[in-house]
Coordinates of all heavy atoms in Angstrom, one line a residue:
V1 N 8.1 96.9 300.8 CA 7.5 95.9 301.7 C 8.4 94.7 301.6 O 8.5 94.1 300.5 CB 6.0 95.6 301.3 CG1 5.4 94.7 302.3 CG2 5.2 96.9 301.1
I2 N 8.9 94.3 302.7 CA 9.8 93.1 302.8 C 9.1 91.9 303.4 O 8.5 92.0 304.5 CB 11.0 93.4 303.6 CG1 11.8 94.7 303.1 CG2 12.0 92.2 303.6 CD1 12.4 94.5 301.7
R3 N 9.1 90.8 302.7 CA 8.5 89.6 303.2 C 9.6 88.6 303.8 O 10.6 88.4 303.1 CB 7.7 88.9 302.1 CG 6.8 87.8 302.5 CD 5.9 87.4 301.3 NE 4.9 86.4 301.7 CZ 3.9 86.0 300.9 NH1 3.9 86.4 299.6 NH2 3.1 85.1 301.3
D4 N 9.3 88.1 305.0 CA 10.3 87.2 305.6 C 11.7 87.9 305.7 O 12.7 87.3 305.3 CB 10.4 85.9 304.9 CG 9.1 85.2 304.8 OD1 8.3 85.3 305.7 OD2 8.8 84.6 303.7
P5 N 11.8 89.1 306.3 CA 13.1 89.7 306.4 C 14.2 88.9 307.1 O 15.4 89.1 306.9 CB 12.8 91.1 307.1 CG 11.5 90.8 307.8 CD 10.7 89.8 307.0
A6 N 13.8 88.1 308.1 CA 14.7 87.3 308.8 C 14.9 85.9 308.3 O 15.7 85.1 308.8 CB 14.3 87.3 310.3
G7 N 14.2 85.6 307.2 CA 14.2 84.2 306.7 C 15.4 84.0 305.7 O 16.1 84.9 305.4
P8 N 15.5 82.8 305.2 CA 16.6 82.5 304.3 C 16.5 83.1 302.9 O 17.4 83.3 302.2 CB 16.6 81.0 304.2 CG 15.2 80.6 304.5 CD 14.7 81.6 305.5
L9 N 15.2 83.5 302.6 CA 15.0 84.1 301.3 C 14.1 85.3 301.4 O 12.9 85.2 301.0 CB 14.4 83.0 300.3 CG 14.3 83.4 298.8 CD1 15.7 83.5 298.2 CD2 13.5 82.4 298.1
P10 N 14.5 86.4 301.9 CA 13.7 87.6 302.0 C 13.3 88.1 300.6 O 14.1 88.0 299.7 CB 14.6 88.6 302.7 CG 16.0 88.2 302.5 CD 15.9 86.7 302.4
R11 N 12.0 88.6 300.5 CA 11.5 89.0 299.2 C 10.9 90.4 299.3 O 10.6 90.9 300.4 CB 10.4 88.1 298.7 CG 11.0 86.7 298.3 CD 9.9 85.7 298.1 NE 9.3 85.3 299.4 CZ 8.1 84.6 299.5 NH1 7.5 84.3 298.4 NH2 7.7 84.2 300.6
V12 N 10.9 91.1 298.2 CA 10.4 92.5 298.2 C 9.3 92.6 297.2 O 9.3 91.9 296.1 CB 11.5 93.5 297.9 CG1 12.1 93.2 296.5 CG2 11.0 94.9 297.9
L13 N 8.2 93.4 297.5 CA 7.1 93.5 296.6 C 7.4 94.5 295.5 O 7.7 95.7 295.8 CB 5.9 94.0 297.4 CG 4.6 94.2 296.6 CD1 4.2 92.9 295.8 CD2 3.4 94.6 297.5
M14 N 7.3 94.1 294.2 CA 7.6 95.0 293.1 C 6.6 94.8 292.0 O 6.0 93.7 291.9 CB 9.1 94.8 292.6 CG 10.1 94.9 293.6 SD 11.8 95.0 292.9 CE 11.8 96.7 292.4
G15 N 6.5 95.8 291.1 CA 5.7 95.7 289.9 C 6.3 96.4 288.8 O 7.3 97.2 289.0
Q16 N 5.8 96.2 287.6 CA 6.4 96.8 286.4 C 5.5 97.9 285.8 O 4.3 97.7 285.6 CB 6.6 95.7 285.3 CG 7.4 96.2 284.1 CD 7.6 95.1 283.0 OE1 6.7 94.2 282.9 NE2 8.6 95.2 282.3
R17 N 6.1 99.0 285.6 CA 5.4 100.2 285.0 C 5.2 99.9 283.5 O 5.9 99.2 282.9 CB 6.2 101.5 285.2 CG 6.4 101.9 286.6 CD 7.1 103.2 286.7 NE 6.4 104.3 286.0 CZ 5.3 104.9 286.5 NH1 4.8 104.6 287.7 NH2 4.8 105.9 285.8
G18 N 4.1 100.5 283.0 CA 3.6 100.2 281.7 C 4.6 100.8 280.6 O 5.4 101.7 280.9
L19 N 4.6 100.2 279.4 CA 5.5 100.6 278.4 C 5.2 102.1 278.0 O 6.1 102.8 277.6 CB 5.3 99.7 277.2 CG 6.1 100.0 275.9 CD1 7.6 99.8 276.3 CD2 5.7 99.0 274.8
S20 N 3.9 102.5 278.1 CA 3.6 103.9 277.7 C 3.7 104.9 278.8 O 3.3 106.1 278.6 CB 2.2 103.9 277.1 OG 1.2 103.4 278.1
A21 N 4.1 104.5 280.0 CA 4.2 105.4 281.1 C 5.2 106.5 280.8 O 6.3 106.3 280.2 CB 4.6 104.6 282.4
V22 N 4.8 107.7 281.2 CA 5.7 108.9 281.0 C 7.0 108.8 281.9 O 8.1 109.1 281.4 CB 5.0 110.2 281.4 CG1 5.9 111.4 281.3 CG2 3.8 110.4 280.4
F23 N 6.8 108.3 283.1 CA 8.0 108.2 284.0 C 8.4 106.8 284.2 O 7.6 105.9 284.5 CB 7.5 108.8 285.4 CG 8.7 108.9 286.4 CD1 9.7 109.8 286.2 CD2 8.7 108.1 287.5 CE1 10.7 110.0 287.1 CE2 9.7 108.2 288.4 CZ 10.7 109.2 288.2
M24 N 9.6 106.5 283.8 CA 10.3 105.2 284.0 C 9.4 104.0 283.3 O 9.1 103.1 284.0 CB 10.5 104.8 285.5 CG 11.5 105.7 286.2 SD 11.8 105.3 287.9 CE 13.1 106.5 288.3
P25 N 9.1 104.1 282.0 CA 8.4 103.1 281.4 C 9.1 101.7 281.4 O 10.3 101.7 281.3 CB 8.3 103.6 279.9 CG 9.4 104.5 279.8 CD 9.6 105.2 281.1
S26 N 8.3 100.7 281.7 CA 8.8 99.3 281.6 C 9.7 98.9 282.8 O 10.1 97.8 282.9 CB 9.5 99.0 280.3 OG 8.7 99.2 279.2
K27 N 10.0 99.9 283.7 CA 10.9 99.5 284.8 C 10.1 98.9 285.9 O 9.0 99.1 286.1 CB 11.5 100.8 285.3 CG 12.4 101.6 284.3 CD 13.7 100.8 284.1 CE 14.7 101.7 283.3 NZ 16.0 101.0 283.0
Y28 N 10.9 98.0 286.6 CA 10.3 97.4 287.9 C 10.6 98.3 289.0 O 11.7 98.8 289.2 CB 10.9 96.0 288.1 CG 10.3 94.9 287.3 CD1 10.7 94.6 286.1 CD2 9.2 94.2 287.9 CE1 10.1 93.6 285.3 CE2 8.6 93.2 287.1 CZ 9.0 92.9 285.9 OH 8.4 91.9 285.2
V29 N 9.6 98.6 289.8 CA 9.7 99.6 290.9 C 8.9 99.1 292.1 O 8.2 98.2 292.1 CB 9.1 101.0 290.4 CG1 9.9 101.5 289.3 CG2 7.6 100.8 290.0
F30 N 9.1 99.8 293.2 CA 8.3 99.7 294.4 C 7.1 100.5 294.2 O 7.0 101.5 293.5 CB 9.1 100.2 295.6 CG 10.5 99.7 295.8 CD1 11.5 100.6 295.9 CD2 10.8 98.3 295.9 CE1 12.8 100.2 296.0 CE2 12.1 97.9 296.0 CZ 13.1 98.8 296.1
P31 N 6.0 100.1 294.9 CA 4.8 101.0 294.9 C 5.1 102.4 295.4 O 5.9 102.6 296.4 CB 3.8 100.3 295.9 CG 4.3 98.9 295.9 CD 5.8 98.9 295.8
G32 N 4.6 103.4 294.8 CA 4.8 104.8 295.3 C 4.4 105.8 294.3 O 4.0 105.5 293.1
G33 N 4.4 107.1 294.7 CA 3.9 108.1 293.8 C 3.9 109.5 294.5 O 4.3 109.6 295.7
A34 N 3.4 110.5 293.8 CA 3.4 111.8 294.3 C 2.5 112.0 295.4 O 1.4 111.3 295.5 CB 3.1 112.8 293.2
V35 N 2.8 112.9 296.3 CA 1.9 113.3 297.4 C 0.7 114.1 296.8 O 0.9 115.1 296.0 CB 2.6 114.1 298.5 CG1 1.6 114.7 299.5 CG2 3.7 113.3 299.1
D36 N -0.5 113.8 297.1 CA -1.7 114.5 296.7 C -2.1 115.5 297.8 O -1.8 115.3 298.9 CB -2.9 113.5 296.5 CG -2.7 112.7 295.2 OD1 -1.9 113.0 294.4 OD2 -3.5 111.7 295.1
P37 N -2.7 116.6 297.3 CA -3.1 117.6 298.3 C -4.0 117.0 299.5 O -3.8 117.4 300.6 CB -3.9 118.6 297.5 CG -3.4 118.5 296.1 CD -3.0 117.1 296.0
G38 N -4.8 116.1 299.1 CA -5.7 115.5 300.2 C -5.0 114.6 301.2 O -5.5 114.3 302.2
D39 N -3.7 114.2 300.9 CA -3.0 113.4 301.8 C -2.7 114.1 303.1 O -2.5 113.5 304.2 CB -1.7 112.9 301.2 CG -1.9 112.0 300.0 OD1 -2.9 111.2 300.1 OD2 -1.1 112.0 299.1
H40 N -2.7 115.4 303.1 CA -2.4 116.2 304.3 C -3.6 116.1 305.3 O -3.4 116.3 306.5 CB -2.2 117.7 304.0 CG -1.0 117.9 303.2 ND1 0.2 118.3 303.8 CD2 -0.8 117.9 301.9 CE1 1.1 118.4 302.8 NE2 0.5 118.2 301.6
D41 N -4.8 115.7 304.9 CA -6.0 115.7 305.7 C -6.5 114.3 306.1 O -7.5 114.2 306.7 CB -7.1 116.5 305.0 CG -6.7 117.9 304.7 OD1 -6.1 118.6 305.6 OD2 -7.1 118.4 303.6
I42 N -5.7 113.3 305.7 CA -6.2 111.9 306.0 C -6.0 111.6 307.4 O -4.9 111.9 308.0 CB -5.4 110.9 305.1 CG1 -5.6 111.2 303.6 CG2 -5.7 109.5 305.5 CD1 -7.1 111.0 303.2
A43 N -7.0 111.0 308.0 CA -7.0 110.6 309.4 C -6.2 109.3 309.5 O -6.6 108.3 308.9 CB -8.4 110.4 310.0
L44 N -5.1 109.3 310.3 CA -4.3 108.1 310.5 C -4.7 107.4 311.8 O -4.9 108.1 312.8 CB -2.8 108.4 310.5 CG -2.2 109.0 309.2 CD1 -0.8 109.4 309.5 CD2 -2.3 108.1 308.1
A45 N -4.8 106.1 311.8 CA -5.1 105.3 313.0 C -4.0 105.6 314.0 O -4.2 105.7 315.2 CB -5.3 103.9 312.7
R46 N -2.7 105.6 313.5 CA -1.6 105.8 314.4 C -0.6 106.6 313.5 O -0.4 106.4 312.3 CB -1.0 104.6 314.9 CG -1.9 103.8 315.8 CD -1.1 102.6 316.4 NE -0.7 101.6 315.4 CZ 0.0 100.5 315.7 NH1 0.4 100.3 317.0 NH2 0.4 99.7 314.8

């Protein structure tokens, strides 16, 4: 997610994974994760 992409200081939304996380502990990442089985059946507005 990019904030003010055309501005003088565009920013990106990031967070830090926990120290005890199995995958990429302590790293700063974008939001995201594995596809769940139920994601195939979600009704999208568009």
Side-chain angles (χ1 to χ4, degrees):
V1 187
I2 305 293
R3 195 168 183 178
D4 303 321
L9 191 67
R11 291 168 287 168
V12 60
L13 180 57
M14 304 192 80
Q16 186 178 31
R17 293 184 60 79
L19 181 62
S20 61
V22 174
F23 186 70
M24 295 185 179
S26 301
K27 297 288 188 180
Y28 278 88
V29 296
F30 311 122
V35 174
D36 288 345
D39 292 330
H40 294 266
D41 301 319
I42 296 302
L44 298 174
R46 295 187 296 176

